[in-house]
Amino acid sequence: MDAERNGSPGTFGLLAPPGREATVHDERDHASDLHLDQIVSRIASGRDDGPALEELYFRRTRDVETVHHRHRVFQDLDDPEVWDAARRFCGSAREVLSHLSQARAMRVREQRQGWTLDAAATYCAAVRRLATDLGEARLGSQGMADFRRYLLGYAASGEFARLEAESAECKAALGDVGYCVNVDGGRVSVTRYEEEPDYSVEIQSVFERFRQGAVRSYLANYRVWPGMTSVGQQILGLVVRLFPEEFALLARFSERHRSFFDPGVHRFYAELQFYVAYRELIDSVGAGGLDFCYPEVATESKEELAEGTFDLALAMKLTSEGQKVVTNDLRLDRGERIFVVSGPNQGGKTTFARTFGQLHHLAALGVPVPGRRARLFLCDRIFTHFEREEDLSRLTGKLESDLLHMQRTLRSASPASVVVMNEVFSSTSLEDNRFLGAEAMRRLIGLGCLAVCVTFVDELASLAPSVVSMISTIVPGDPTQRTFKVVRGPANGLAYALALAEKYRLTRPQLLERIP
Amino acid sequence: MKAHLLYPDRDFDFSAEPGRFDDDLLRDLELAIVLRAMAQGDRLLADVSRRVLLDSLDDVGLVLYRQAVLADCIEQEEAVRELYALVVAALEDKRGLLWGIRSGSPAVTLGGAVRQLEAFSVRLRELRQLADRRREVFRSEGFEHLFESIRRDLDDEYLETLRTHLRQLQFRNGVLLSARLDRDNTGIDYVLRAPITKRPSWRERVGLAPRTSYSFTIPPRDEGAANELADLTSRGLNQVADAAAQAADHIESYFTMLRAELAFYVACLNLRSALLERGAPLVFPVPLPSEPARFACGDLRDTALVLQTAGEVAGNDVDADDRPLVVVTGANSGGKSTFLRSVGLAQLMAQCGMYVTASSYRSSARSAVFTHFGREEDESMRSGRLDDELRRMSVIVDAAARHALVLFNESFSGTNEREGSEIGRQIVQALLERDVAVFFVTHQFDFADGFRRSRPSATRFLRAERAAGGRPSYRLVPADPLPTSFAVDVFRRIGGFADADPGASGVDHGDDGPLEVGEEAGSDAVTSKQIG
């Protein structure tokens, strides 16, 4: 690839430096437990080639250099001018592609030509604008700078200038065409439009007196009409004869510019979406005051840190409802590997576990992660073990399938893996739960992998020095608010009824505040 | 034109989302049985009755407004049913024509709309005639206004105007449309134009000027082309069709509203005959303002139980004026739950303008009625039973305001008595401090007795008792709670408190709670069976 001449599409790469083969882990067994599927489908929804884009968010890398390459592209997009330019371009490119695919589906010549012309006009404006926008920008990433060099060369070419001028001329001519159709029985006449008065307006005034408030509209929607009827085709044929110069111009244009979308610009668009789509998510979630950061990444050290982090899927939901998101801090110091999370229900334990899993997935995509500051390990695989609610009715079958699933996880995990266990075996007796939980924990401790385990069995929190006990909290001093804070602290499973009542804000003082 | 039989100055909102507590009320108060008797198999009557029943009025004037309309209905049942039948018929005409208007093609929409408007105009004329004939015999403000507005808004002149416009809409001389080119060169922006006849200039006719008109004729048997042409014409008729169809909708919505509001009163007539057949006393309640707290009833019977029982149903006399807390204790299957239901049902019926099944009933307007009944099973196996109870309570508190009424049935028994009592005490105390009235059925002596000691004159204590021979009388008597709990039986059967030592472990509490509760749930099931 290095041998390719400057200016060819291969000389830039947004997702990785040109020619670099990164190790990639593409698996998604953990996606739904960690709600990554919600995140990814929200990111990719409504975008061009959504499935291919989704794919990119499941392809994790353990290559530190690739992660840094992507961080730098993101950092260029942090510049508001570059960011606006990128978004604008994505919007236009998307329109161009949809019009081109529309054109291919048409069988009437003038229709194909019309869609192509429209796409070309949009394309020209988009490329011109992008070249202007990026021309002045200060770009720090290799990915963006390489592309700019390529783009400026293309925008200055004679081929592009011709496309631009001819599409504008053609558009203007067709925009001025207006005609009338007279339908009388089976006879159809077409004439140039000559200011005949609007008849609907007259009839509507007749019915004005019935109007009272809003009712449904009976207007048929005729805007989207792919293809053309044979009558429509015959009418168009007559319109072409009424306006011969205008249509001759169109025919010449589409003959000359059959495929105008430059392959290099097209690839840039595809790769750019990976960044734009994720960053738009950050913007909408971050608007609620939440931080994202570029994590330090490592493939050796498992000392980890994340300050002010949160569950991204939950944050998407809460911010869209205008609710506040509680952030948490997590830290694994030298020798520490496993979080055991216990404490009152609905206190954010599962959310904490999910957050931990999501962080490792996102870090390995090379995207900014939730939090003010983070240091994360690039893991090989991510395993999850969550209670499935729909299985609850078949308790016996459930225990067995739980155990088999756990067995598969524990046998496949390596010291470089991340394991997330949430309330497993909770349908068994306390004694069984204690026993099975301890067995699973012993295996994880022996592996030395990173893990988080949510449980109500206190004993699991003190099995080894590598285990860190975390507890969900309720704050007695400020009972009007559930905290969702998960902090370091000794496990204490006593859930007293009044603490519960307090959690639901049902003590007398709390109630007096709630009922005005 | 408005119906305004439920409110003097506005429509009832029949499209409102169901309330958050509707399902709880339906289940806890056995509302379905009452609604069935009101509906007599008519889904519309059922739906309307449910909505009106669950949308309590806290304004004394509005309750009296409806009571007057309902009194008219009871007195003029035949006229009301005739009016209702007319309105139903108008809407059935419309249903017969329904296929026309929804097809989506403006030409067809227009045709359908014109046919509907023609049918409606016939019914509007009939409505006018009925109003002319019957209005004298009605006394309530609601009916007087209704008949007055029909006579005013549907005068002869108006009906004639309507007919003229319908003729004009026949539209059969072909249509002229203008259009522009879309970006794909198909026609867009079709606009119906007034046709102006003009002939080509002589220069054009002899071929000296460029042609300004081209035409073609579709083959007579080419159905596809004919359809396409019809479709094109339709586009030009879009706006006109919209206006006509909306006019039909406006008239339909008037009939729909009139039917719905009448439906409530027709349902009340249905229920009334069912209750009279079973010998239940019926009385219009005396609605009182929210303050001070008043509640008194004579021979109050559970309406749902009356409808389900062949023989006589026991009624209760309760005087709880200035006693916003009523605590009910006593024997299982002694009518405690039935009494609680009778109060909830009567309050809902009173606050929507209905009669109640009692010989006398007066009560303060309540801003809302809530039920917090012990559920037989946890709805979610994941959260504990107490957890679930507290969650439901919290949801109620979110919605509760001053002057609400909360009916508790064996609440907070998902844990041991000491803790359950404490939770219950805190909640009830707070509610009372916020002028919320509370009826509480409980087995927890510690809880009930606490209120006897702390506020004896502001609490009414009722007790269910077994008559001699063990048969329950189903009547409650004013009496303080007794320390001998019926849980003692249960206690013996499960072999004592050895497992329930609070010091043993956190988990044992959980084992103890549900056991005790399971017994209670079983007892309630027996009560339910008697109802069924």
Side-chain angles (χ1 to χ4, degrees), chain A residues 401-467:
Chain A
S401 81
D402 268 0
L403 287 177
L404 287 170
H405 185 253
M406 181 58 74
Q407 183 192 56
R408 266 197 306 281
T409 296
L410 293 176
R411 287 185 182 176
S412 319
S414 83
S417 301
V418 165
V419 178
V420 180
M421 299 198 307
N422 186 47
E423 306 261 25
V424 285
F425 311 129
S426 65
S427 58
T428 64
S429 71
L430 179 65
E431 269 319 300
D432 287 352
N433 197 330
R434 216 174 257 158
F435 171 76
L436 294 170
E439 285 299 312
M441 283 290 291
R442 262 192 274 283
R443 168 74 181 155
L444 293 173
I445 292 164
L447 270 175
C449 66
L450 294 168
V452 58
C453 170
V454 175
T455 182
F456 62 87
V457 181
D458 296 352
E459 292 90 318
L460 299 186
S462 49
L463 281 179
S466 66
V467 175

Coordinates of all heavy atoms in Angstrom, one line a residue, chain A residues 401-467:
Chain A
S401 N -29.1 -25.1 33.4 CA -28.6 -24.3 32.3 C -27.7 -23.2 32.8 O -26.7 -22.9 32.2 CB -29.7 -23.8 31.4 OG -30.2 -22.6 32.0
D402 N -28.0 -22.7 34.0 CA -27.1 -21.7 34.7 C -25.7 -22.3 34.9 O -24.7 -21.7 34.6 CB -27.7 -21.3 36.0 CG -28.5 -20.0 35.9 OD1 -28.7 -19.5 34.8 OD2 -29.1 -19.6 36.9
L403 N -25.7 -23.5 35.4 CA -24.4 -24.1 35.8 C -23.6 -24.4 34.5 O -22.4 -24.3 34.5 CB -24.7 -25.4 36.6 CG -25.2 -25.2 38.0 CD1 -25.4 -26.5 38.7 CD2 -24.1 -24.4 38.8
L404 N -24.3 -24.9 33.5 CA -23.6 -25.2 32.2 C -23.0 -24.0 31.6 O -21.9 -23.9 31.1 CB -24.5 -25.9 31.2 CG -24.8 -27.4 31.6 CD1 -26.0 -27.9 30.7 CD2 -23.6 -28.2 31.5
H405 N -23.8 -22.9 31.7 CA -23.3 -21.7 31.1 C -22.1 -21.2 31.9 O -21.1 -20.7 31.3 CB -24.4 -20.6 31.2 CG -24.1 -19.3 30.5 ND1 -23.9 -18.2 31.2 CD2 -23.9 -19.0 29.2 CE1 -23.6 -17.2 30.4 NE2 -23.6 -17.6 29.2
M406 N -22.2 -21.3 33.2 CA -21.1 -20.8 34.1 C -19.8 -21.7 33.8 O -18.7 -21.2 33.7 CB -21.5 -20.9 35.5 CG -20.4 -20.5 36.5 SD -19.9 -18.8 36.3 CE -21.3 -17.9 36.9
Q407 N -20.1 -23.0 33.6 CA -19.0 -23.9 33.3 C -18.3 -23.5 32.0 O -17.0 -23.4 31.9 CB -19.5 -25.3 33.2 CG -18.4 -26.3 33.0 CD -19.0 -27.7 32.6 OE1 -19.8 -27.7 31.6 NE2 -18.7 -28.7 33.3
R408 N -19.1 -23.2 31.0 CA -18.5 -22.8 29.7 C -17.7 -21.5 29.9 O -16.5 -21.4 29.4 CB -19.6 -22.5 28.7 CG -19.9 -23.6 27.8 CD -20.7 -23.2 26.6 NE -21.9 -22.4 26.9 CZ -23.1 -23.0 27.3 NH1 -23.2 -24.3 27.4 NH2 -24.1 -22.2 27.5
T409 N -18.2 -20.5 30.6 CA -17.5 -19.3 30.8 C -16.2 -19.5 31.5 O -15.1 -19.1 31.1 CB -18.4 -18.3 31.7 OG1 -19.5 -18.0 31.0 CG2 -17.6 -17.1 32.0
L410 N -16.2 -20.3 32.6 CA -15.0 -20.4 33.4 C -14.0 -21.3 32.7 O -12.8 -21.1 33.0 CB -15.4 -21.1 34.8 CG -16.3 -20.2 35.6 CD1 -16.7 -20.9 36.9 CD2 -15.5 -18.9 36.0
R411 N -14.4 -22.1 31.8 CA -13.4 -22.9 31.1 C -12.8 -22.1 29.9 O -11.7 -22.4 29.5 CB -14.0 -24.2 30.6 CG -14.3 -25.2 31.7 CD -14.8 -26.5 31.2 NE -15.0 -27.4 32.4 CZ -15.5 -28.6 32.3 NH1 -15.8 -29.1 31.1 NH2 -15.7 -29.4 33.3
S412 N -13.6 -21.2 29.3 CA -13.1 -20.4 28.2 C -12.3 -19.2 28.6 O -11.5 -18.7 27.8 CB -14.2 -20.0 27.3 OG -15.2 -21.0 27.2
A413 N -12.5 -18.7 29.8 CA -11.9 -17.4 30.1 C -10.4 -17.6 30.3 O -9.9 -18.6 30.7 CB -12.5 -16.9 31.4
S414 N -9.7 -16.5 29.9 CA -8.2 -16.5 30.0 C -7.9 -15.4 31.1 O -8.7 -14.7 31.4 CB -7.5 -16.2 28.7 OG -7.5 -14.8 28.5
P415 N -6.6 -15.4 31.5 CA -6.2 -14.3 32.4 C -6.4 -12.9 31.8 O -6.5 -11.9 32.5 CB -4.7 -14.5 32.6 CG -4.6 -16.0 32.4 CD -5.5 -16.4 31.3
A416 N -6.6 -12.8 30.5 CA -6.8 -11.5 29.8 C -8.3 -11.2 29.6 O -8.6 -10.2 28.9 CB -6.0 -11.4 28.5
S417 N -9.2 -12.0 30.2 CA -10.6 -11.8 29.9 C -11.2 -10.9 31.0 O -10.6 -10.7 32.0 CB -11.3 -13.2 29.9 OG -10.8 -14.0 28.9
V418 N -12.5 -10.5 30.7 CA -13.3 -9.8 31.6 C -14.6 -10.6 31.8 O -15.2 -11.0 30.9 CB -13.6 -8.4 31.1 CG1 -14.7 -7.8 31.9 CG2 -12.4 -7.5 31.2
V419 N -14.9 -10.8 33.1 CA -16.1 -11.6 33.4 C -17.1 -10.8 34.2 O -16.7 -10.1 35.2 CB -15.8 -12.9 34.2 CG1 -17.1 -13.7 34.5 CG2 -14.8 -13.8 33.4
V420 N -18.4 -10.7 33.8 CA -19.4 -9.9 34.5 C -20.5 -10.9 35.0 O -21.1 -11.5 34.2 CB -20.0 -8.8 33.6 CG1 -21.0 -8.1 34.4 CG2 -18.9 -7.9 33.1
M421 N -20.6 -11.1 36.3 CA -21.7 -12.0 36.8 C -22.7 -11.2 37.6 O -22.3 -10.5 38.6 CB -21.0 -13.0 37.7 CG -20.0 -13.9 37.0 SD -19.7 -15.4 37.9 CE -19.3 -14.8 39.5
N422 N -23.9 -11.3 37.3 CA -25.0 -10.5 38.0 C -26.0 -11.5 38.6 O -26.8 -12.1 37.9 CB -25.6 -9.6 37.0 CG -26.6 -8.7 37.6 OD1 -26.3 -8.1 38.7 ND2 -27.8 -8.5 37.1
E423 N -26.0 -11.5 40.0 CA -27.0 -12.3 40.7 C -27.2 -13.7 40.2 O -28.4 -14.1 40.0 CB -28.4 -11.5 40.6 CG -28.3 -10.1 41.1 CD -28.8 -9.9 42.5 OE1 -28.7 -10.8 43.3 OE2 -29.2 -8.8 42.8
V424 N -26.2 -14.4 39.9 CA -26.3 -15.7 39.4 C -26.8 -16.7 40.6 O -26.5 -16.4 41.7 CB -25.1 -16.3 38.8 CG1 -24.9 -15.6 37.4 CG2 -23.9 -16.0 39.6
F425 N -27.4 -17.7 40.2 CA -27.9 -18.8 41.2 C -28.9 -18.2 42.2 O -29.1 -18.8 43.2 CB -26.7 -19.4 41.9 CG -25.6 -19.8 41.1 CD1 -24.3 -19.4 41.3 CD2 -25.8 -20.6 40.0 CE1 -23.2 -19.8 40.6 CE2 -24.7 -21.0 39.2 CZ -23.5 -20.6 39.5
S426 N -29.5 -17.1 41.9 CA -30.3 -16.5 42.9 C -31.6 -17.3 43.1 O -32.3 -17.0 44.1 CB -30.6 -15.0 42.6 OG -31.4 -15.0 41.4
S427 N -31.9 -18.2 42.2 CA -33.1 -19.0 42.4 C -32.8 -20.2 43.3 O -33.7 -20.9 43.7 CB -33.7 -19.4 41.1 OG -32.7 -20.1 40.4
T428 N -31.6 -20.4 43.7 CA -31.3 -21.5 44.6 C -31.4 -21.1 46.0 O -31.6 -19.9 46.3 CB -29.8 -22.0 44.3 OG1 -29.0 -21.0 44.7 CG2 -29.6 -22.4 42.9
S429 N -31.2 -22.1 46.9 CA -31.3 -21.7 48.3 C -30.0 -20.9 48.7 O -29.0 -20.9 47.9 CB -31.3 -23.0 49.1 OG -30.0 -23.6 49.0
L430 N -30.1 -20.3 49.8 CA -28.9 -19.5 50.2 C -27.7 -20.3 50.3 O -26.6 -19.9 49.9 CB -29.2 -18.8 51.6 CG -28.1 -18.0 52.2 CD1 -27.8 -16.8 51.3 CD2 -28.3 -17.5 53.6
E431 N -27.8 -21.5 50.9 CA -26.7 -22.4 51.0 C -26.0 -22.8 49.7 O -24.8 -22.7 49.5 CB -27.1 -23.7 51.8 CG -26.9 -23.6 53.3 CD -25.6 -22.8 53.7 OE1 -24.5 -23.3 53.4 OE2 -25.8 -21.8 54.4
D432 N -26.9 -23.2 48.8 CA -26.4 -23.5 47.4 C -25.8 -22.3 46.8 O -24.7 -22.4 46.1 CB -27.6 -24.0 46.5 CG -28.0 -25.4 46.9 OD1 -27.3 -26.0 47.8 OD2 -29.1 -25.8 46.4
N433 N -26.4 -21.2 46.9 CA -25.9 -20.0 46.3 C -24.5 -19.7 46.8 O -23.6 -19.4 46.1 CB -26.9 -18.8 46.7 CG -26.6 -17.6 45.8 OD1 -25.5 -17.4 45.3 ND2 -27.7 -16.9 45.5
R434 N -24.3 -19.8 48.2 CA -23.1 -19.6 48.8 C -22.0 -20.5 48.2 O -20.9 -20.1 47.9 CB -23.3 -19.9 50.3 CG -22.5 -19.0 51.2 CD -22.9 -19.3 52.7 NE -23.8 -18.3 53.2 CZ -24.7 -18.5 54.2 NH1 -24.7 -19.7 54.8 NH2 -25.4 -17.6 54.7
F435 N -22.4 -21.8 48.1 CA -21.4 -22.8 47.7 C -21.0 -22.5 46.2 O -19.9 -22.5 45.9 CB -22.1 -24.2 47.8 CG -21.3 -25.3 47.2 CD1 -20.1 -25.7 47.8 CD2 -21.7 -25.8 46.0 CE1 -19.4 -26.7 47.2 CE2 -20.9 -26.8 45.4 CZ -19.8 -27.3 46.0
L436 N -22.0 -22.4 45.4 CA -21.8 -22.2 43.9 C -21.0 -20.9 43.7 O -20.1 -20.8 42.9 CB -23.1 -22.2 43.1 CG -23.8 -23.6 43.1 CD1 -25.2 -23.4 42.5 CD2 -23.0 -24.6 42.4
G437 N -21.4 -19.8 44.4 CA -20.8 -18.6 44.2 C -19.3 -18.6 44.6 O -18.4 -18.1 43.8
A438 N -19.1 -19.3 45.7 CA -17.7 -19.4 46.1 C -16.8 -20.2 45.2 O -15.7 -19.9 44.9 CB -17.6 -20.0 47.5
E439 N -17.4 -21.3 44.6 CA -16.7 -22.1 43.6 C -16.3 -21.3 42.4 O -15.2 -21.3 41.9 CB -17.5 -23.3 43.2 CG -17.6 -24.4 44.3 CD -16.2 -25.0 44.6 OE1 -15.5 -25.3 43.7 OE2 -15.9 -25.1 45.8
A440 N -17.3 -20.5 41.9 CA -17.0 -19.7 40.7 C -16.0 -18.6 41.0 O -15.1 -18.4 40.2 CB -18.3 -19.0 40.3
M441 N -16.1 -18.0 42.2 CA -15.1 -17.0 42.6 C -13.7 -17.6 42.7 O -12.8 -16.9 42.2 CB -15.5 -16.4 43.9 CG -16.7 -15.4 43.9 SD -16.2 -13.9 43.1 CE -15.1 -13.2 44.3
R442 N -13.6 -18.8 43.3 CA -12.3 -19.4 43.4 C -11.6 -19.5 42.1 O -10.4 -19.3 41.9 CB -12.4 -20.7 44.1 CG -12.1 -20.5 45.6 CD -11.9 -21.9 46.3 NE -13.2 -22.4 46.7 CZ -13.8 -22.0 47.8 NH1 -13.3 -21.0 48.6 NH2 -15.0 -22.5 48.2
R443 N -12.4 -19.9 41.1 CA -11.9 -20.1 39.7 C -11.4 -18.8 39.1 O -10.3 -18.7 38.6 CB -13.0 -20.8 38.8 CG -12.7 -20.8 37.4 CD -11.6 -21.8 37.0 NE -11.4 -21.7 35.6 CZ -10.3 -22.1 35.0 NH1 -9.3 -22.6 35.7 NH2 -10.2 -22.0 33.7
L444 N -12.2 -17.7 39.3 CA -11.8 -16.4 38.8 C -10.6 -15.9 39.5 O -9.7 -15.3 38.8 CB -13.0 -15.4 39.0 CG -14.3 -15.7 38.2 CD1 -15.4 -14.8 38.6 CD2 -14.0 -15.6 36.7
I445 N -10.5 -16.1 40.8 CA -9.3 -15.6 41.5 C -8.1 -16.4 41.0 O -7.0 -15.8 40.8 CB -9.5 -15.9 43.0 CG1 -10.7 -15.0 43.6 CG2 -8.3 -15.7 43.8 CD1 -11.2 -15.4 44.9
G446 N -8.2 -17.7 40.8 CA -7.1 -18.4 40.3 C -6.6 -18.0 38.9 O -5.4 -17.9 38.7
L447 N -7.6 -17.6 38.1 CA -7.2 -17.1 36.7 C -6.5 -15.8 36.8 O -5.7 -15.5 36.0 CB -8.5 -17.0 35.9 CG -9.0 -18.1 35.0 CD1 -10.3 -17.7 34.4 CD2 -8.0 -18.5 34.0
G448 N -6.9 -15.0 37.7 CA -6.4 -13.6 37.8 C -7.0 -12.7 36.8 O -6.4 -11.6 36.5
C449 N -8.1 -13.0 36.2 CA -8.7 -12.2 35.2 C -9.5 -11.1 36.0 O -9.8 -11.1 37.2 CB -9.7 -12.9 34.3 SG -11.1 -13.6 35.1
L450 N -10.0 -10.1 35.2 CA -10.8 -9.0 35.7 C -12.2 -9.4 35.8 O -12.7 -10.1 34.8 CB -10.7 -7.7 34.8 CG -9.3 -7.1 34.8 CD1 -9.2 -6.1 33.7 CD2 -9.0 -6.4 36.1
A451 N -12.9 -9.1 36.9 CA -14.3 -9.6 37.0 C -15.1 -8.7 37.9 O -14.5 -8.0 38.7 CB -14.4 -11.0 37.5
V452 N -16.4 -8.7 37.7 CA -17.3 -8.1 38.7 C -18.4 -9.1 39.0 O -18.9 -9.8 38.1 CB -17.9 -6.7 38.2 CG1 -18.6 -6.9 36.8 CG2 -18.8 -6.1 39.2
C453 N -18.8 -9.2 40.3 CA -19.8 -10.2 40.7 C -20.8 -9.5 41.6 O -20.4 -9.0 42.7 CB -19.0 -11.3 41.4 SG -20.1 -12.5 42.2
V454 N -22.1 -9.5 41.2 CA -23.1 -8.9 42.0 C -23.8 -10.0 42.8 O -24.2 -11.0 42.2 CB -24.2 -8.1 41.1 CG1 -25.3 -7.7 42.0 CG2 -23.5 -7.0 40.4
T455 N -23.9 -9.9 44.1 CA -24.4 -11.0 44.9 C -25.0 -10.5 46.2 O -24.7 -9.3 46.6 CB -23.3 -12.0 45.2 OG1 -23.9 -13.1 45.9 CG2 -22.2 -11.4 46.0
F456 N -25.9 -11.3 46.8 CA -26.3 -10.9 48.1 C -25.6 -11.8 49.2 O -25.9 -11.7 50.4 CB -27.8 -11.0 48.3 CG -28.4 -12.3 48.1 CD1 -28.5 -13.2 49.1 CD2 -28.9 -12.7 46.8 CE1 -29.1 -14.5 48.9 CE2 -29.5 -13.9 46.6 CZ -29.6 -14.8 47.7
V457 N -24.7 -12.6 48.7 CA -23.9 -13.4 49.7 C -22.7 -12.7 50.1 O -21.7 -12.5 49.4 CB -23.5 -14.8 49.0 CG1 -22.8 -15.6 50.0 CG2 -24.8 -15.5 48.5
D458 N -22.7 -12.2 51.4 CA -21.7 -11.3 51.9 C -20.3 -12.0 51.8 O -19.3 -11.4 51.5 CB -21.9 -10.9 53.3 CG -23.2 -10.1 53.4 OD1 -23.7 -9.7 52.4 OD2 -23.6 -9.8 54.6
E459 N -20.3 -13.3 52.1 CA -19.0 -14.0 52.2 C -18.1 -13.9 51.0 O -16.9 -13.9 51.1 CB -19.2 -15.5 52.6 CG -19.8 -15.7 53.9 CD -21.3 -15.8 53.9 OE1 -21.9 -14.9 53.2 OE2 -21.9 -16.6 54.5
L460 N -18.7 -13.7 49.8 CA -18.0 -13.7 48.6 C -17.1 -12.5 48.5 O -16.1 -12.5 47.8 CB -18.9 -13.7 47.4 CG -19.8 -14.9 47.2 CD1 -20.6 -14.9 45.9 CD2 -19.0 -16.2 47.3
A461 N -17.4 -11.5 49.3 CA -16.6 -10.2 49.2 C -15.3 -10.3 49.9 O -14.4 -9.4 49.8 CB -17.5 -9.1 49.8
S462 N -15.0 -11.4 50.7 CA -13.8 -11.4 51.5 C -13.0 -12.7 51.2 O -12.4 -13.2 52.1 CB -14.1 -11.3 53.0 OG -15.1 -12.2 53.3
L463 N -13.1 -13.3 50.0 CA -12.5 -14.6 49.7 C -11.0 -14.5 49.5 O -10.3 -15.4 49.7 CB -13.2 -15.2 48.5 CG -14.5 -15.9 48.7 CD1 -15.1 -16.5 47.4 CD2 -14.4 -17.0 49.8
A464 N -10.5 -13.3 49.0 CA -9.1 -13.2 48.7 C -8.7 -11.8 48.6 O -9.5 -10.9 48.5 CB -8.8 -13.9 47.3
P465 N -7.4 -11.5 48.7 CA -6.9 -10.1 48.7 C -7.2 -9.4 47.4 O -7.3 -8.2 47.3 CB -5.4 -10.2 48.9 CG -5.2 -11.6 49.4 CD -6.3 -12.4 49.0
S466 N -7.3 -10.2 46.3 CA -7.6 -9.6 45.0 C -9.0 -9.2 44.8 O -9.4 -8.6 43.8 CB -7.2 -10.6 43.9 OG -8.0 -11.7 43.9
V467 N -9.9 -9.5 45.8 CA -11.3 -9.1 45.8 C -11.6 -7.8 46.4 O -11.1 -7.6 47.6 CB -12.2 -10.2 46.4 CG1 -13.6 -9.8 46.4 CG2 -12.0 -11.5 45.6

